[in-house]
Amino acid sequence: MNRVVHPIEVESYRRLRARLDTSHFPPLTRAVVERVIHSAADLDYATDLVMDEGDLEKAHAALHSGAPVVTDVEMVAAGITRRETVCRLRDAESGPGLTRSAHAIRLAHEQVGPGAIWVIGNAPTALEELLTLDAAPALVIGLPVGFVGAVESKAALRESGLPAVSNVSEKGGSAVASAALNALLYHPTHPSEETS
């Protein structure tokens, strides 16, 4: 993907790298770690994030081959640039034992089927619901934020064995979830295209 990088972003990355050595990370992991840190100005994400380079390579290929991207909330969708997303929250309804966010995940699963990239940055219940479905995702970016259910839902994601980006702490949110997806979206598909 060709995109013009603003001088402020260039300087931000320069300062980030001056404060934190990310050169030991494999390429896609480094891209995700740096973009998440850039989005939150929080260097602790370098040790809080959990991901596997092999999973990221497969997800990167799927993303650039047109895999659907599903988000739990419109704030995550708004942060994903240059890519159509599916967010069914407006169509969802809460019910007994089912949050609106969880229902939205069910609706999205019915729409996109297997092989999608799921980006969850707001609702732990959305991530919990996704784990009950036979979604066969290309990747789950599971970074919901909060003091209730966030840590537990992300731990369940890691235990599921699904290809994933998650983090250990309560931190997360729409901005970091969309940043993780954008890192894969912006990363070149050919090594010769790398600029940083």
Side-chain angles (χ1 to χ4, degrees):
M1 162 180 282
N2 293 326
R3 69 183 192 97
V4 176
V5 180
H6 193 280
I8 292 173
E9 182 177 336
V10 172
E11 177 61 13
S12 180
Y13 270 75
R14 187 195 68 74
R15 292 184 187 194
L16 183 161
R17 290 171 179 158
R19 293 178 61 185
L20 178 71
D21 180 10
T22 59
S23 63
H24 63 283
F25 289 117
L28 289 168
T29 300
R30 181 182 187 192
V32 171
V33 167
E34 287 184 345
R35 189 144 298 274
V36 166
I37 289 172
H38 175 260
S39 74
D42 186 345
L43 298 174
D44 290 342
Y45 274 111
T47 55
D48 193 42
L49 288 165
V50 179
M51 66 198 93
D52 175 78
E53 185 73 5
D55 290 343
L56 295 180
E57 289 170 356
K58 291 174 187 167
H60 182 260
L63 180 64
H64 288 276
S65 295
V69 176
V70 181
T71 68
D72 62 333
V73 294
E74 291 185 25
M75 285 293 291
V76 174
I80 295 171
T81 55
R82 301 182 185 197
R83 187 60 186 263
E84 294 284 326
T85 61
V86 173
C87 180
R88 297 296 303 273
L89 192 60
R90 287 185 185 207
D91 305 317
E93 298 178 2
S94 61
L98 185 71
T99 66
R100 192 167 160 237
S101 295
H103 185 225
I105 294 300
R106 285 186 190 178
L107 294 173
H109 178 254
E110 291 169 7
Q111 180 178 338
V112 303
I117 296 174
W118 296 79
V119 189
I120 297 175
N122 184 268
T125 58
L127 183 52
E128 291 165 0
E129 183 64 25
L130 179 59
L131 295 177
T132 70
L133 302 173
D134 186 21
L139 185 71
V140 179
I141 296 174
L143 295 167
V145 62
F147 294 114
V148 178
V151 168
E152 296 83 357
S153 66
K154 290 181 277 194
L157 172 59
R158 289 190 298 277
E159 291 165 10
S160 74
L162 293 175
V165 174
S166 69
N167 69 310
V168 177
S169 72
E170 292 102 346
K171 294 189 297 189
S174 299
V176 297
S178 58
L181 188 281
N182 285 337
L184 298 176
L185 190 59
Y186 298 161
H187 197 79
T189 53
H190 304 288
S192 62
E193 298 172 2
E194 287 195 52
T195 58
S196 58

Short mmCIF file of all heavy atoms in Angstrom, two decimals, residues 9-22 30 33-43 46:
data_model
loop_
_atom_site.label_atom_id
_atom_site.label_comp_id
_atom_site.label_asym_id
_atom_site.label_seq_id
_atom_site.Cartn_x
_atom_site.Cartn_y
_atom_site.Cartn_z
N GLU A 9 4.43 12.12 11.81
CA GLU A 9 4.52 10.68 12.07
C GLU A 9 5.96 10.20 11.99
O GLU A 9 6.42 9.40 12.81
CB GLU A 9 3.64 9.89 11.10
CG GLU A 9 3.66 8.40 11.38
CD GLU A 9 2.74 7.60 10.47
OE1 GLU A 9 1.76 8.17 9.94
OE2 GLU A 9 3.02 6.40 10.28
N VAL A 10 6.70 10.68 11.00
CA VAL A 10 8.10 10.32 10.86
C VAL A 10 8.87 10.71 12.13
O VAL A 10 9.63 9.91 12.68
CB VAL A 10 8.73 10.99 9.61
CG1 VAL A 10 10.24 10.77 9.57
CG2 VAL A 10 8.08 10.46 8.34
N GLU A 11 8.66 11.92 12.61
CA GLU A 11 9.34 12.39 13.81
C GLU A 11 8.89 11.61 15.04
O GLU A 11 9.70 11.28 15.92
CB GLU A 11 9.11 13.89 14.02
CG GLU A 11 9.72 14.46 15.29
CD GLU A 11 11.24 14.34 15.38
OE1 GLU A 11 11.91 14.02 14.37
OE2 GLU A 11 11.77 14.55 16.49
N SER A 12 7.61 11.27 15.11
CA SER A 12 7.11 10.49 16.23
C SER A 12 7.78 9.13 16.31
O SER A 12 8.20 8.68 17.38
CB SER A 12 5.59 10.33 16.11
OG SER A 12 5.08 9.59 17.18
N TYR A 13 7.93 8.48 15.16
CA TYR A 13 8.61 7.18 15.12
C TYR A 13 10.09 7.32 15.47
O TYR A 13 10.66 6.45 16.13
CB TYR A 13 8.42 6.51 13.76
CG TYR A 13 7.20 5.63 13.70
CD1 TYR A 13 5.92 6.17 13.61
CD2 TYR A 13 7.31 4.25 13.75
CE1 TYR A 13 4.80 5.37 13.57
CE2 TYR A 13 6.19 3.43 13.71
CZ TYR A 13 4.94 4.01 13.62
OH TYR A 13 3.83 3.21 13.59
N ARG A 14 10.70 8.41 15.02
CA ARG A 14 12.10 8.62 15.36
C ARG A 14 12.27 8.73 16.87
O ARG A 14 13.15 8.12 17.47
CB ARG A 14 12.64 9.89 14.68
CG ARG A 14 14.16 10.07 14.87
CD ARG A 14 14.62 11.47 14.52
NE ARG A 14 14.12 12.46 15.45
CZ ARG A 14 14.57 12.64 16.71
NH1 ARG A 14 15.52 11.87 17.20
NH2 ARG A 14 14.05 13.59 17.48
N ARG A 15 11.39 9.50 17.51
CA ARG A 15 11.47 9.66 18.96
C ARG A 15 11.15 8.36 19.69
O ARG A 15 11.78 8.03 20.69
CB ARG A 15 10.51 10.77 19.42
CG ARG A 15 10.94 12.14 18.95
CD ARG A 15 10.04 13.22 19.49
NE ARG A 15 10.37 14.51 18.90
CZ ARG A 15 9.93 15.68 19.36
NH1 ARG A 15 9.14 15.72 20.42
NH2 ARG A 15 10.28 16.79 18.77
N LEU A 16 10.16 7.64 19.19
CA LEU A 16 9.81 6.34 19.79
C LEU A 16 11.04 5.43 19.77
O LEU A 16 11.41 4.83 20.79
CB LEU A 16 8.66 5.72 19.00
CG LEU A 16 8.06 4.39 19.44
CD1 LEU A 16 6.69 4.23 18.81
CD2 LEU A 16 8.90 3.19 19.13
N ARG A 17 11.69 5.33 18.61
CA ARG A 17 12.84 4.43 18.46
C ARG A 17 14.06 4.93 19.24
O ARG A 17 14.92 4.12 19.60
CB ARG A 17 13.17 4.25 16.99
CG ARG A 17 12.11 3.44 16.26
CD ARG A 17 12.31 3.43 14.76
NE ARG A 17 11.27 2.62 14.12
CZ ARG A 17 10.94 2.76 12.85
NH1 ARG A 17 11.55 3.66 12.08
NH2 ARG A 17 9.99 2.00 12.33
N ALA A 18 14.12 6.22 19.51
CA ALA A 18 15.20 6.75 20.34
C ALA A 18 15.01 6.35 21.81
O ALA A 18 15.98 6.21 22.55
CB ALA A 18 15.28 8.27 20.21
N ARG A 19 13.78 6.14 22.20
CA ARG A 19 13.47 5.78 23.59
C ARG A 19 13.34 4.28 23.81
O ARG A 19 13.43 3.81 24.94
CB ARG A 19 12.17 6.47 24.02
CG ARG A 19 12.34 8.00 24.11
CD ARG A 19 11.07 8.70 24.48
NE ARG A 19 10.58 8.28 25.78
CZ ARG A 19 9.42 8.68 26.29
NH1 ARG A 19 8.66 9.51 25.62
NH2 ARG A 19 9.04 8.27 27.47
N LEU A 20 13.09 3.53 22.73
CA LEU A 20 12.85 2.10 22.86
C LEU A 20 13.45 1.38 21.65
O LEU A 20 13.10 1.68 20.52
CB LEU A 20 11.34 1.83 22.92
CG LEU A 20 10.91 0.37 23.00
CD1 LEU A 20 11.25 -0.22 24.37
CD2 LEU A 20 9.40 0.26 22.74
N ASP A 21 14.33 0.44 21.91
CA ASP A 21 14.91 -0.35 20.83
C ASP A 21 13.94 -1.46 20.44
O ASP A 21 13.68 -2.37 21.22
CB ASP A 21 16.25 -0.94 21.29
CG ASP A 21 16.92 -1.77 20.20
OD1 ASP A 21 16.44 -1.75 19.04
OD2 ASP A 21 17.91 -2.45 20.51
N THR A 22 13.41 -1.36 19.24
CA THR A 22 12.48 -2.38 18.74
C THR A 22 13.11 -3.25 17.66
O THR A 22 12.43 -4.07 17.06
CB THR A 22 11.22 -1.71 18.16
OG1 THR A 22 11.61 -0.83 17.09
CG2 THR A 22 10.46 -0.91 19.22
N ARG A 30 7.30 -6.13 14.99
CA ARG A 30 7.81 -4.77 15.19
C ARG A 30 6.81 -3.73 14.68
O ARG A 30 6.55 -2.73 15.35
CB ARG A 30 9.16 -4.60 14.49
CG ARG A 30 9.76 -3.22 14.68
CD ARG A 30 11.07 -3.04 13.95
NE ARG A 30 11.67 -1.77 14.31
CZ ARG A 30 12.70 -1.24 13.66
NH1 ARG A 30 13.26 -1.88 12.64
NH2 ARG A 30 13.18 -0.08 14.03
N VAL A 33 3.89 -3.61 17.21
CA VAL A 33 4.31 -3.02 18.48
C VAL A 33 4.49 -1.51 18.33
O VAL A 33 3.98 -0.71 19.13
CB VAL A 33 5.60 -3.68 19.01
CG1 VAL A 33 6.22 -2.88 20.15
CG2 VAL A 33 5.32 -5.11 19.46
N GLU A 34 5.20 -1.10 17.30
CA GLU A 34 5.47 0.33 17.12
C GLU A 34 4.20 1.13 16.83
O GLU A 34 4.01 2.21 17.38
CB GLU A 34 6.49 0.54 15.99
CG GLU A 34 7.89 0.14 16.37
CD GLU A 34 8.92 0.43 15.31
OE1 GLU A 34 8.55 0.70 14.14
OE2 GLU A 34 10.11 0.39 15.65
N ARG A 35 3.31 0.59 16.00
CA ARG A 35 2.10 1.36 15.68
C ARG A 35 1.18 1.45 16.89
O ARG A 35 0.55 2.47 17.13
CB ARG A 35 1.37 0.77 14.47
CG ARG A 35 0.25 1.69 14.01
CD ARG A 35 0.08 1.72 12.52
NE ARG A 35 1.18 2.19 11.76
CZ ARG A 35 1.42 3.47 11.47
NH1 ARG A 35 0.63 4.42 11.92
NH2 ARG A 35 2.45 3.81 10.72
N VAL A 36 1.09 0.38 17.68
CA VAL A 36 0.28 0.44 18.90
C VAL A 36 0.88 1.45 19.88
O VAL A 36 0.16 2.28 20.45
CB VAL A 36 0.15 -0.97 19.55
CG1 VAL A 36 -0.39 -0.88 20.96
CG2 VAL A 36 -0.76 -1.85 18.69
N ILE A 37 2.19 1.39 20.08
CA ILE A 37 2.83 2.37 20.97
C ILE A 37 2.61 3.79 20.45
O ILE A 37 2.28 4.71 21.21
CB ILE A 37 4.34 2.07 21.12
CG1 ILE A 37 4.53 0.79 21.95
CG2 ILE A 37 5.08 3.24 21.76
CD1 ILE A 37 5.96 0.29 21.99
N HIS A 38 2.76 3.97 19.15
CA HIS A 38 2.55 5.28 18.54
C HIS A 38 1.13 5.78 18.79
O HIS A 38 0.92 6.96 19.08
CB HIS A 38 2.83 5.17 17.03
CG HIS A 38 2.54 6.41 16.26
ND1 HIS A 38 1.39 6.58 15.54
CD2 HIS A 38 3.27 7.53 16.09
CE1 HIS A 38 1.41 7.76 14.96
NE2 HIS A 38 2.54 8.36 15.27
N SER A 39 0.15 4.89 18.72
CA SER A 39 -1.25 5.31 18.88
C SER A 39 -1.59 5.68 20.32
O SER A 39 -2.50 6.47 20.56
CB SER A 39 -2.20 4.20 18.42
OG SER A 39 -2.23 3.14 19.35
N ALA A 40 -0.87 5.10 21.28
CA ALA A 40 -1.20 5.31 22.70
C ALA A 40 -0.13 6.09 23.46
O ALA A 40 -0.35 6.44 24.62
CB ALA A 40 -1.39 3.95 23.38
N ALA A 41 1.02 6.34 22.83
CA ALA A 41 2.16 6.97 23.50
C ALA A 41 2.48 6.22 24.80
O ALA A 41 2.74 6.82 25.83
CB ALA A 41 1.91 8.45 23.78
N ASP A 42 2.45 4.90 24.72
CA ASP A 42 2.64 4.05 25.89
C ASP A 42 3.67 2.98 25.56
O ASP A 42 3.36 1.97 24.92
CB ASP A 42 1.31 3.42 26.29
CG ASP A 42 1.38 2.63 27.58
OD1 ASP A 42 2.49 2.30 28.04
OD2 ASP A 42 0.30 2.32 28.12
N LEU A 43 4.90 3.19 26.02
CA LEU A 43 6.00 2.27 25.72
C LEU A 43 5.82 0.90 26.36
O LEU A 43 6.42 -0.07 25.93
CB LEU A 43 7.33 2.88 26.18
CG LEU A 43 7.74 4.18 25.49
CD1 LEU A 43 8.99 4.75 26.14
CD2 LEU A 43 7.96 3.97 24.00
N ALA A 46 5.30 -2.58 24.58
CA ALA A 46 6.38 -3.42 24.05
C ALA A 46 6.50 -4.74 24.80
O ALA A 46 6.89 -5.75 24.23
CB ALA A 46 7.70 -2.67 24.10
#
